[in-house]
Amino acid sequence: MKLFIDTADLDEIREANDMGILDGVTTNPSLVKDEGNVDFHEHVFTICETVDGDVSAEVTATTVDGMIEEAHRLHQVHENVVVKIPLTQDGIKALRALDAEGIETNCTLCFSPTQATLAAKAGADYISPFIGRIDDLSSDGVGLIEEIVQIYDNYDFDTEVLAASIRHPTHVKRAALAGADVATMPFETLLALLDHPLTDRGLERFLADWEAYKDARKAEAGLA
Ligand code: G3P
């Protein structure tokens, strides 16, 4: 399973990348807005130079021609850019055209298995079901991942399932069990994957015992 970070914050991206487990980055217009007064294309370039992996950057046009034009510009920014296209009728047409040109795409704002099927047929490289936003409506986000994985397996679609809008480690675990190819998550969720109180307590005890062992050895040698 690939792990992506869902942020445009360079400090978070660098810190996650330093862990050596990061496979890519996803951004969206809201995350770019959070970075304040940055040049969008320069910022995407810097992210691409920071991480050795796919970096999703989203178009904001809503027409086929507009999306394709923005996709061309983003594609020129860096070879690792994956162009994020919204799951609309125009988006499907744009995905098909970009696939024919060999430009990598991530189809975003997916909330149903039928949407995901159309995205795969249009040649999307990634499909991004937003599982947290589905859970927010008291529905089952991971259930959607399961259904998409099943449909893609049934028909051997190459599109990778990228579980997005992840809010906590249980989302990551359940997406992995459901067979998602990628999970993208905020930095704090990535760090939370490490958390376990028994690890902290166990380490504390091992270190205390190690100090006691060293003190005992010193005492034996008459150095205490
Ligand atoms: O990047 C798309 C997705 O991960 C957004 O997540 O938390 O805004 O629903 P969220």
Side-chain angles (χ1 to χ4, degrees):
M1 187 190 215
K2 288 186 271 187
L3 297 181
F4 289 2
I5 188 168
D6 196 30
T7 184
D9 182 317
L10 292 175
D11 290 335
E12 290 183 346
I13 291 168
R14 286 191 189 106
E15 210 176 319
N17 193 53
D18 284 349
M19 290 167 72
I21 47 79
L22 192 65
D23 299 299
V25 179
T26 50
T27 68
N28 62 40
S30 306
L31 294 171
V32 173
K33 181 211 74 180
D34 291 345
E35 295 314 295
N37 186 24
V38 294
D39 179 276
F40 176 46
H41 293 107
E42 275 176 23
H43 201 72
V44 170
F45 177 79
T46 308
I47 294 173
C48 290
E49 288 289 292
T50 306
V51 177
D52 183 19
D54 286 345
V55 174
S56 287
E58 189 158 342
V59 299
T60 51
T62 53
T63 62
V64 186
D65 290 345
M67 287 187 212
I68 292 173
E69 194 183 321
E70 285 187 27
H72 287 163
R73 176 73 186 92
L74 282 167
H75 182 63
Q76 283 165 2
V77 168
H78 198 282
E79 61 183 359
N80 290 353
V81 168
V82 175
V83 182
K84 245 174 155 181
I85 302 282
L87 224 164
T88 60
Q89 193 172 345
D90 279 53
I92 292 294
K93 291 182 193 168
L95 287 169
R96 171 48 71 221
L98 294 168
D99 184 48
E101 290 183 45
I103 293 179
E104 280 200 85
T105 54
N106 173 356
C107 186
T108 189
L109 290 166
C110 174
F111 296 94
S112 82
T114 51
Q115 288 179 318
T117 304
L118 290 183
K121 285 191 71 72
D125 293 283
Y126 293 101
I127 183 72
S128 289
F130 279 26
I131 63 177
R133 293 193 195 185
I134 292 174
D135 286 2
D136 290 344
L137 297 185
S138 300
S139 199
D140 182 13
V142 177
L144 174 60
I145 300 283
E146 289 165 354
E147 289 178 333
I148 296 172
V149 167
Q150 174 76 63
I151 291 167
Y152 284 8
D153 280 355
N154 287 351
Y155 297 101
D156 284 333
F157 285 124
D158 293 330
T159 305
E160 292 189 67
V161 180
L162 191 166
S165 185
I166 277 178
R167 303 276 160 79
H168 45 70
T170 303
H171 269 153
V172 179
K173 179 189 83 173
R174 292 192 59 216
L177 288 170
D181 300 286
V182 191
T184 191
M185 66 206 78
F187 183 53
E188 59 269 25
T189 306
L190 185 67
L191 293 182
L193 299 183
L194 280 168
D195 285 348
H196 202 290
L198 290 180
T199 304
D200 298 340
R201 236 189 287 163
L203 184 59
E204 216 173 284
R205 192 192 299 170
F206 283 154
L207 294 179
D209 286 345
W210 189 247
E211 286 307 314
Y213 161 79
K214 284 196 301 183
D215 288 348
R217 292 271 294 167
K218 271 191 211 156
E220 287 271 330
L223 299 170

